[in-house]
Amino acid sequence: MNAKFFAAAVVFAAVSTPALAQFWIVRDGPVGKCAVVDREPSDSKVIIAGGSHRFYSTRREAERDAQVVCRLRKA
């Protein structure tokens, strides 16, 4: 019984962890370098692209949008 419980817990953790992940596109100041981070920044000098409530579920999605957002802000 313990082996079944352990196996179920491992499967649940593997499935739920990526679903709970959040990524933000941040910029160091108004014209600084962009980065994708996995923790919501608390530094007042860092700007979150799209506002503090704009986050992404996957890093790939955030990196794809960062290419567009960061290019537009530099122009």
Side-chain angles (χ1 to χ4, degrees):
M1 174 122 170
N2 286 338
K4 288 181 183 180
F5 178 74
F6 180 72
V10 169
V11 169
F12 177 75
V15 171
S16 66
T17 301
L20 300 175
Q22 294 179 343
F23 299 93
W24 288 265
I25 301 171
V26 297
R27 182 184 293 276
D28 188 21
V31 292
K33 184 177 178 182
C34 280
V36 174
V37 296
D38 60 353
R39 294 185 185 169
E40 187 171 10
S42 59
D43 187 1
S44 62
K45 295 178 184 176
V46 174
I47 298 170
I48 301 174
S52 61
H53 299 293
R54 178 64 177 137
F55 62 87
Y56 299 87
S57 300
T58 64
R59 179 175 289 277
R60 174 176 269 173
E61 181 184 7
E63 289 173 348
R64 186 186 68 230
D65 281 1
Q67 292 175 354
V68 175
V69 171
C70 295
R71 189 175 326 140
L72 291 176
R73 296 285 284 163
K74 289 180 181 179

